Amino acid sequence: NEIPHNEKLLSLKYESLDYDNSENQLFLEEERRINHTAFRTVEIKRWVICAMIGILTGLVACFIDIVVENLAGLKYRVVKGNIDKFTEKGGLSFSLLLWATLNASVVMVGSVIVAFIEPVAAGSGIPQIKCYLNGVKIPHVVRLKTLVIKVCGVILSVVGGLAVGKEGPMIHSGAVIAAGISQGRSTSLKRDFKIFEYFRRDTEKRDFVSAGAAAGVSAAFGAPVGGVLFSLEEGASFWNQFLTWRIFFASMISTFTLNSVLSVYHGNAWDLSSPGLINFGRFDNEKMGYTIQEIPIFIFMGVVGGILGALFNALNYWLTMFRIRYIHRPCLQVVEAMLVAAVTATVGFVMIYCSRDCQPIQGSTVAYPLQLFCADGEYNSMATAFFNTPEKSVVNLFHDPPGSYNPMTLGMFTLMYFFLACWTYGLTVSAGVFIPSLLIGAAWGRLFGISLSYLTKGSIWADPGKYALMGAAAQLGGIVRMTLSLTVIMMEATGNVTYGFPIMLVLMTAKIVGDYFVEGLYDMHIQLQSVPFLHWEAPVTSHSLTMVGATVWSICPMLLPSSLPAAVCCPGPSACRCCGMVPDSLFPHKVFVERANLSLVQRRLKLKDFRDAYPRFPPIQSIHVSQDERECMIDLSEFMNPSPYTVPQEASLPRVFKLFRALGLRHLVVVDNRNEVVGMVTRKDLARYRLGKEGLEELSLAQT
Amino acid sequence: NEIPHNEKLLSLKYESLDYDNSENQLFLEEERRINHTAFRTVEIKRWVICAMIGILTGLVACFIDIVVENLAGLKYRVVKGNIDKFTEKGGLSFSLLLWATLNASVVMVGSVIVAFIEPVAAGSGIPQIKCYLNGVKIPHVVRLKTLVIKVCGVILSVVGGLAVGKEGPMIHSGAVIAAGISQGRSTSLKRDFKIFEYFRRDTEKRDFVSAGAAAGVSAAFGAPVGGVLFSLEEGASFWNQFLTWRIFFASMISTFTLNSVLSVYHGNAWDLSSPGLINFGRFDNEKMGYTIQEIPIFIFMGVVGGILGALFNALNYWLTMFRIRYIHRPCLQVVEAMLVAAVTATVGFVMIYCSRDCQPIQGSTVAYPLQLFCADGEYNSMATAFFNTPEKSVVNLFHDPPGSYNPMTLGMFTLMYFFLACWTYGLTVSAGVFIPSLLIGAAWGRLFGISLSYLTKGSIWADPGKYALMGAAAQLGGIVRMTLSLTVIMMEATGNVTYGFPIMLVLMTAKIVGDYFVEGLYDMHIQLQSVPFLHWEAPVTSHSLTMVGATVWSICPMLLPSSLPAAVCCPGPSACRCCGMVPDSLFPHKVFVERANLSLVQRRLKLKDFRDAYPRFPPIQSIHVSQDERECMIDLSEFMNPSPYTVPQEASLPRVFKLFRALGLRHLVVVDNRNEVVGMVTRKDLARYRLGKEGLEELSLAQT
């Protein structure tokens, strides 16, 4: 049981990303030597890497899409054939058994690979990427192995009929691809291509991971601008025009690659009609504009979405706490996933069985129409919702002409799918929560639109598809609480900008209402995992906290021994004066100079040593320092960052917070007014302070 | 002649914005006292202000649009009537005279108000807003008077038939509105509404100005997301989710207000069809997609746009140098503006006169068709380009069916308009360069499309409208060199996201090609005005520069006298130790304590003193300090920022640059390793270093 039971803790297992490892003398010297031509070469390499990130992310998205389409199609055909067969001669329970078994076994495979091979591939990966971009190192999160498990896992989850989407995991996939390509090597494959060595440092890698995440969003929703905004919202502490432009380039390439390949695959090679894994389809703004009178209605829908989202999150919170306590063994996790798969199939089957909502088959675009007990030439409307990938169901709810769905069907579907999706999120499978949220919202939104249409006696503006869209936005906003990026993603997925204003209003309302009750789903899960995550701003009431009494982590002259994450080198007879900072990554290499002959350096560290070891420097404890070596000295001046950032001890918490956030720092030396070191502030010290119900709370560090 | 002749200077007249004026003890104490409720009130006020910014910016845009439409319509009708009259009976030179005189007199009024009343209202205002958001204080740039002159000026320029647009100035207008509203008072009107006093500090004001600029973009192009990105690209050094979300809110409100009011004005109250001052019209993506083969063609167009843009900028550079040297008296400026207006009318007239491009009037949507020498039922095609506001001409070039324009017409028009627009930019009138750039590009783009269609014998994909769009993007990108924000603005103005990828490629190519020759138009003008503008990153070759030898601006114990912009308070017997920083805004208030009775404070400064005086603190030289007062002492501890940012003197220029940029600093104290003050770095010290042709260049400070 790795995760602490009490959520008011910070876990020690999450390291900060070492943003300033590249600030030591070796790196600085390299930068000093760099001339204009070399700079240009590096810049071109950055663009090439971004193009590659875009292309590969697009291809991975294509792969997932095509495999899911084929496997899911196969499954639906088998089950449909079976149901059709048994409808006539009775014994539909066999069909149920077949369906549930099929789903459970597919999900079992998906869950086993995640639980036993790479647990970090579970879920959508968005909380993990948020943490990574925030500056927290989560073990294994950007490894090739994770990518493979993620891709296979998400295919199996979707094919297994769980209430999940394949969009969220694309963001994680894009991030892994970016991390891999930009480093020019793979630890999982043990291959080093000896390229892009310049980028083997945290700042550069993180920039590429931002681009990868953006490319993932872009491929998932056909939303390149939304992708850029997602990356910026989550990650970029410091906005840089060139970086943003590169991120946008990667996003564009990603959606373009997906579009081209899928167009070729679907046989209409040049039409470029599939910019994303999910496309909301074309909302015709001539037919379907909105009027000013509708705006209060949209705001009301935002309120409903906020409340339902908060309910979803609260239920999921309890469920997650339960899981942390009782379901932490991998085999139990697999069993739970199978159970959910079987229950999902059963619920679907029962609902289809009980439904009496028949629609004429003529003129409809249903992929796998199920006649069941309907008259000839008709199909069961409830079955379309369950006999489709969730993506298709969403689009159907948006675009099916008025009258395609019975209000009862929609109501039952919303209710059931809400609980199923809530139960599913947090299972040990790779899966996203975007599409289920959209689907729940689209269902109740359409229901709302139909009711409105009844009430107003079929007024022209009560098109249920539009309300389905707004409901989807409200529900998703209420669950994930993203702001600008989600608005833009929704705008781009609908393909036109007309709905921008109402979508923004709906998302804003949903966020405000939802935040009143409980925080967003991703933030909740980040907090449950005790990650030292830094939010946008320091808690408002923390202005009176200063750095006086900062933890003294390490002070010379006992520079060398044991657990010392970042030493402050301070010559001077009496007190320790801050004259530089030495990275911890230096010590494992044991560069000692014997006390006797100070001028003789035993082994000089090279920049290459840092780059080859990056990012997995051996922990300091793993180095054996013999008694003889303890007598030796090190010449630190070469490896030292001569001008570390310092703050006076009178500095307030918000000011230090701003420095950390704006500069992406890992630790900051606290000095008094003689520049004598009084301590060190780390990211965990800042993340400890949270605004709780009764004002400022201080969390303690978990000992796990 | 206020502007220095040599462009390799930094002007002293531009102050930095005092971002850290709010860091003194008084402000810190207020923040310490703030509790959760107070914080929430402040937050709600911020939202209210953003909504007001959006509404007012939208209304101003409506006002400009409606007035321009009516006045320009009136003018065109008069001239058209006159031409029609004289076409039959000869004597068209009277018409020319009428047209030229009308234009010149309207432009004269527009130029007089700018040149004599508020010169800072000249041009589009985008360079000024870029500087403001970058952290440079430009006198008068956000005053109400400037807004009034700007609005009147832009109306008169457009009505006067200059080759200008009304979009750029909207950005400036939005910024002024934001600055005014957020401070709750107007210096021009001498009214203080005693509201929003909390926001009377530079950081807050700048955030609102960002929102205002975004609202301006949003109203101009119907591009709320583009507006946000513009603000972020130009201004935000530190990305904050809440701030961005508020900026987006202001943008959305702005376009929505414009849309509602214009819809009502045009009589179709609820259809919301005018999201911006210019709408590119609907590009139907079913009819007008693009195919993969076209991408190299688009890239080629980007190259052309880059070259033409660079040519435009180079010509304009020479022209601006000429203007700085010889046309600096207001009356000369007015005369030049009138000359340009008359020449523009003459060129237009001659071209219409010489054109033999007649098109059937039936089925066309030309607003003021001019028959001239065409047969009955036909109109002169060249006249549509000149007998329309440039906005309408752009849309016509995008959407008129193939065959509406003769290649010769387009070629001549491009050539003439190119030089006219180039001559016009930099005149002492309020006007933007966006629309003329788009128009030039649309003209040659359409010409290019037509040629391509000839060459490929009318292949289906050679729709001239699409090429007009790409040409417009290429030309605009080649001139202004904006990146992400321009892509999104173009995407939003076309109303669909299909063209996102080709537009991005075109803009990227245009920027790369253009940057090879000469920098962007706005940056060029910023540099010509010697503004201490900080770019995104320090020059690449500046890593070897350190802060050793930083200018010692002021060191205790001679704390008080004369010109001391920011004092470092340093008790200690021998050397000066940095223990805090005192804002210069303190001294004008003369808070002395007599040497004799140190405990007695004569007058305590209050937070209100700062807020009431903000942002126009009297210059220190204007305060008379008597000999007696010189004997007095000040208790600075209260007004001191106890933890100013400091850097060690070994810090390299890029590191200091990053601190300035990320934290929005004004000055930074340089200390040695004993924390003794060795100097002070200001924004001007950083802006001095530029990457020239032969490596790093150091500019000197102008003595003007």
Side-chain angles (χ1 to χ4, degrees), chain A residues 12-79:
Chain A
L12 275 178
K13 79 171 170 173
Y14 299 111
E15 288 286 312
S16 318
L17 281 173
D18 187 0
Y19 284 167
D20 34 20
N21 112 330
S22 59
E23 294 272 343
N24 77 46
Q25 201 71 34
L26 288 168
F27 283 91
L28 290 179
E29 253 167 41
E30 190 197 30
E31 295 202 329
R32 232 165 261 164
R33 274 195 310 269
I34 218 164
N35 60 16
H36 207 225
T37 326
F39 177 76
R40 191 163 288 176
T41 318
V42 168
E43 192 65 18
I44 291 171
K45 275 188 195 161
R46 287 201 185 103
W47 284 94
V48 171
I49 293 173
C50 281
M52 286 164 69
I53 291 170
I55 292 171
L56 270 180
T57 308
L59 290 179
V60 167
C62 288
F63 174 76
I64 293 178
D65 194 60
I66 292 171
V67 174
V68 164
E69 202 181 305
N70 286 315
L71 287 185
L74 185 68
K75 191 193 78 176
Y76 290 133
R77 275 196 300 278
V78 169
V79 176

Side-chain angles (χ1 to χ4, degrees), chain A residues 365-385:
Chain A
T365 54
V366 178
Y368 309 102
L370 206 60
Q371 188 180 345
L372 218 66
F373 306 123
C374 291
D376 283 349
E378 289 191 334
Y379 69 95
N380 185 313
S381 171
M382 182 66 99
T384 50

Side-chain angles (χ1 to χ4, degrees), chain A residues 149-176:
Chain A
I149 300 297
K150 191 113 214 169
V151 168
C152 299
V154 75
I155 291 172
L156 293 166
S157 313
V158 175
V159 171
L162 289 177
V164 298
K166 56 194 187 302
E167 281 64 22
M170 270 317 298
I171 298 170
H172 192 169
S173 306
V176 181

Side-chain angles (χ1 to χ4, degrees), chain A residues 23 31 39 239-241 252 256 282 286 504 508 536-537 540 543 577 643 648 655 673 675 691, chain B residues 23 31 36 39 239-241 252 282 286 295 504 536-537 540 543 577 643 648 655 673 675:
Chain A
E23 294 272 343
E31 295 202 329
F39 177 76
W239 168 286
N240 180 311
Q241 194 184 21
M252 274 289 188
F256 186 74
R282 184 128 178 261
E286 266 147 31
M504 185 197 69
M508 197 179 272
W536 287 102
E537 278 166 356
V540 275
H543 279 272
R577 199 151 278 165
S643 52
R655 161 172 284 239
N673 70 354
N675 205 27
L691 200 64
Chain B
E23 294 273 342
E31 295 201 329
H36 208 225
F39 176 77
W239 168 286
N240 179 311
Q241 194 185 22
M252 274 290 188
R282 184 130 178 261
E286 265 148 32
I295 285 176
M504 185 197 69
W536 288 102
E537 276 165 358
V540 275
H543 279 271
R577 198 152 280 164
S643 52
R655 162 173 282 240
N673 70 353
N675 205 28

Side-chain angles (χ1 to χ4, degrees), chain A residues 197-274:
Chain A
E197 282 161 323
Y198 181 85
F199 303 120
R200 293 182 188 172
R201 57 173 104 174
D202 284 317
T203 35
E204 295 282 352
K205 190 173 174 185
R206 197 185 80 128
D207 286 352
F208 287 114
V209 170
S210 307
V217 175
S218 175
F221 300 97
V225 181
V228 174
L229 291 176
F230 174 83
S231 275
L232 292 170
E233 228 178 68
E234 298 310 339
S237 47
F238 178 64
W239 168 286
N240 180 311
Q241 194 184 21
F242 302 110
L243 169 64
T244 318
W245 192 223
R246 275 200 304 275
I247 294 178
F248 187 50
F249 181 67
S251 300
M252 274 289 188
I253 295 277
S254 161
T255 174
F256 186 74
T257 306
L258 178 80
N259 209 338
S260 313
V261 175
L262 284 190
S263 297
V264 171
Y265 177 76
H266 291 135
N268 32 15
W270 307 117
D271 77 338
L272 301 177
S273 57
S274 326

Side-chain angles (χ1 to χ4, degrees), chain B residues 381-459:
Chain B
S381 171
M382 182 66 98
T384 50
F386 285 101
F387 254 61
N388 253 325
T389 50
E391 283 85 356
K392 290 227 179 78
S393 306
V394 170
V395 176
N396 288 343
L397 285 168
F398 287 167
H399 292 293
D400 279 349
S404 303
Y405 296 88
N406 191 316
M408 189 63 196
T409 311
L410 287 175
M412 283 303 294
F413 178 78
T414 304
L415 194 71
M416 285 300 146
Y417 211 80
F418 184 88
F419 289 109
L420 284 176
C422 189
W423 191 9
T424 309
Y425 189 80
L427 281 184
T428 315
V429 293
S430 299
V433 77
F434 263 77
I435 298 297
S437 310
L438 286 173
L439 189 49
I440 298 166
W444 67 254
R446 196 170 173 110
L447 181 62
F448 186 88
I450 293 172
S451 324
L452 211 66
S453 189
Y454 275 124
L455 287 176
T456 59
K457 309 233 171 352
S459 158

